[in-house]
Amino acid sequence: MRKFLAMLCAVALLLTLVPVMVFAEGESVEFTVLSTTDMHGKCWDTNVLTEAAEPNNMLRVSTAVSKFRETYGDNVLVVDNGDLYQGTPVSVVQLNKITSGESDLPAAMALCLAEIGYDVSVLGNHEFNYSWNTMSSIYDYLDGEGVPVITANLYYDGTDGTHAAGTNVFTPYLIKTF
């Protein structure tokens, strides 16, 4: 019985933390969440090495997002779930040029996120294939374009002289009101 009451109290406490939306009877809000993942540098609709069609690309994503925005207006949340930059010969060359200092242009995939109007970008494991300096310049560009990078499980270790150990590297979440 004690365990049951303790669990009931815990659930009641959690429910007090959930925001409540009050609508008049019959009133509702429609929104949609669109998500991409594992785009791996596929910005263009053609593979530049083989000249073969690339059916899964950011051009198609842009078209789909535009259609949803025509229907839902501002009530569209667009999220990329990582593994975005590395993958095609063009994206790898571009990241290598950024790394070597030969280019200070934003990565093409970051340009895609900004132009399409993504609301947020989440890191994937392949975002760690390149140096922090390379990737942080890309994340700074995205942040400046209104596309924050969020990650809840990446922390500073305290050795950089600026950030305390245990401080989140990125904002861990995003709140959007519809």
Side-chain angles (χ1 to χ4, degrees):
M1 186 64 163
R2 270 191 193 156
K3 287 183 181 179
F4 174 75
L5 289 175
M7 183 159 316
L8 187 61
C9 288
V11 169
L13 178 62
L14 287 174
L15 289 176
T16 63
L17 300 175
V18 176
V20 176
M21 300 289 293
V22 178
F23 294 104
E25 187 175 328
E27 187 179 17
S28 66
V29 173
E30 288 188 8
F31 67 94
T32 191
V33 178
L34 303 175
S35 171
T36 52
T37 188
D38 294 280
M39 292 301 289
H40 288 288
K42 295 176 184 168
C43 184
W44 303 275
D45 59 355
T46 304
N47 180 314
V48 297
L49 292 180
T50 65
E51 297 184 10
E54 180 56 65
N56 300 318
N57 61 70
M58 294 303 272
L59 296 172
R60 293 184 78 181
V61 170
S62 179
T63 299
V65 169
S66 292
K67 288 182 180 180
F68 275 93
R69 287 192 173 130
E70 286 174 13
T71 302
Y72 294 100
D74 291 334
N75 288 350
V76 177
L77 179 68
V78 186
V79 179
D80 182 78
N81 288 303
D83 291 354
L84 183 66
Y85 303 97
Q86 171 273 338
T88 66
V90 172
S91 67
V92 170
V93 166
Q94 188 179 37
L95 289 169
N96 286 336
K97 286 187 174 227
I98 292 169
T99 300
S100 69
E102 294 176 62
S103 175
D104 61 355
L105 298 173
M109 296 303 280
L111 287 168
C112 289
L113 294 187
E115 287 301 313
I116 293 170
Y118 273 70
D119 292 286
V120 67
S121 178
V122 181
L123 299 184
N125 62 306
H126 288 292
E127 273 67 58
F128 295 92
N129 289 10
Y130 293 88
S131 74
W132 176 251
N133 288 339
T134 298
M135 297 311 293
S136 64
S137 69
I138 294 169
Y139 306 144
D140 289 344
Y141 167 79
L142 285 173
D143 191 52
E145 294 296 314
V147 184
V149 175
I150 63 170
T151 298
N153 61 350
L154 186 61
Y155 302 95
Y156 289 103
D157 64 5
T159 61
D160 68 350
T162 304
H163 302 92
T167 304
N168 287 89
V169 175
F170 296 102
T171 301
Y173 57 86
L174 172 78
I175 297 174
K176 183 167 181 173
T177 302
F178 295 100

